[in-house]
């Protein structure tokens, strides 16, 4: 059955670096998302992993079924459980995803599984290694419900996009315009995915 609403959707800022472009790209995704959903029935939340500041995974394996021990795990679980759908906005680090993102994902299982999900990756060549890894992890081990990978969003970045000696876009709307239609189409694919029951 096709959904007419996304309810609560989280945009996850996957980079935790101090000097990063991920938050700006996530805000751009949020603006495009807001234009393509019904704001009367949908809440968008940006979850910034830098602010979550989770320590290295220190719980029993989430599939073990044991209750969480630490306050930070309980808070993280409640936040992710309250979301119905996800957009991961991730850079590529050494051919894969950031360590902080893998750590945040590994804390949980039932809170992620079966939920509608899409991926936006970025880098000098679109972050393909990160995109591939996330599809394998999220769609495989976690059983999340992803849009087709060929409909995903890979953003190729250029050095001249930024103010000199910074990671601040000169004009993000102009620079990411070639990716806008792909993002809009990916959002429509996400809206068509069934919610987890």
């Amino acid at each position: 059955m096709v959904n007419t609403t996304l309810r609560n959707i989280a945009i996850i800022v996957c980079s935790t670096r101090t000097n990063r472009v991920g938050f700006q790209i996530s805000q751009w995704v949020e603006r495009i998302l807001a234009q393509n959903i019904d704001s009367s029935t949908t809440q968008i939340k940006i979850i910034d992993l830098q602010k979550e500041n989770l320590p290295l995974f220190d719980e029993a394996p989430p599939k073990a079924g044991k209750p969480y021990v630490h306050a930070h795990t309980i808070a993280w679980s409640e936040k992710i459980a309250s979301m119905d759908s996800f957009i991961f906005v991730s850079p590529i680090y050494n051919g894969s995803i950031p360590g902080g993102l893998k750590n945040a994902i590994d804390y949980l299982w039932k809170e992620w599984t079966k939920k509608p999900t899409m991926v936006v990756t970025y880098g000098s060549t679109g972050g393909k290694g990160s995109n591939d890894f996330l599809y394998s992890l999220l769609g495989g081990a976690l059983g999340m419900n992803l849009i087709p990978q060929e409909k995903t969003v890979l953003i190729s970045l250029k050095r001249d996009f930024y103010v000199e000696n910074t990671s601040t876009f000169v004009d993000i709307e102009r620079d990411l315009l070639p990716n806008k239609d792909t993002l809009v189409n990916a959002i429509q694919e996400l809206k068509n995915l069934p919610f987890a029951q």
Side-chain angles (χ1 to χ4, degrees):
M1 187 171 116
V2 173
N3 288 296
T4 58
T5 177
L6 288 173
R7 297 182 291 191
N8 295 311
I9 182 166
I11 298 172
I12 300 184
V13 187
C14 299
S15 173
T16 59
R17 285 179 173 168
T18 302
N19 204 15
R20 59 184 179 160
V21 299
F23 196 81
Q24 297 166 78
I25 294 174
S26 296
Q27 289 179 313
W28 174 76
V29 170
E30 181 185 28
R31 289 193 293 274
I32 304 302
L33 178 61
Q35 294 165 11
N36 288 275
I37 56 173
D38 183 351
S39 61
S40 69
T41 58
T42 305
Q43 291 185 334
I44 304 170
K45 182 178 181 63
I46 287 186
I47 297 177
D48 186 353
L49 293 186
Q50 185 186 80
K51 292 183 178 178
E52 296 300 323
N53 197 29
L54 290 165
L56 285 175
F57 179 59
D58 55 359
E59 292 276 356
K63 282 190 177 182
K66 297 180 180 177
Y68 298 129
V69 174
H70 301 293
H72 57 259
T73 311
I74 295 168
W76 181 234
S77 169
E78 290 174 350
K79 181 172 290 188
I80 296 304
S82 72
M83 297 293 114
D84 298 297
S85 196
F86 299 97
I87 300 176
F88 288 81
V89 181
S90 178
I92 183 169
Y93 289 177
N94 298 321
S96 186
I97 64 173
L101 171 58
K102 182 63 164 61
N103 186 58
I105 291 171
D106 284 347
Y107 264 92
L108 310 174
W109 182 77
K110 66 180 185 296
E111 296 87 347
W112 299 117
T113 191
K114 298 183 180 179
K115 292 183 178 178
T117 303
M118 61 175 274
V119 172
V120 176
T121 55
Y122 58 91
S124 60
T125 57
K128 188 176 185 307
S130 176
N131 199 289
D132 289 344
F133 188 94
L134 280 170
Y135 263 78
S136 176
L137 173 63
L138 303 179
L142 290 176
M144 298 180 81
N145 194 5
L146 287 106
I147 71 168
Q149 191 171 7
E150 63 269 19
K151 302 291 182 68
T152 196
V153 185
L154 296 95
I155 300 173
S156 294
L157 301 177
K158 300 177 182 178
R159 186 63 253 173
D160 60 7
F161 285 178
Y162 312 123
V163 175
E164 189 174 359
N165 298 320
T166 76
S167 294
T168 302
F169 280 90
V170 174
D171 186 343
I172 194 170
E173 303 297 337
R174 177 198 66 196
D175 294 335
L176 300 192
L177 182 61
N179 305 103
K180 183 176 179 179
D181 286 347
T182 305
L183 177 60
V184 170
N185 291 336
I187 290 167
Q188 295 308 313
E189 291 283 337
L190 185 67
K191 290 165 67 175
N192 288 336
L193 293 176
F195 289 121
Q197 299 299 315

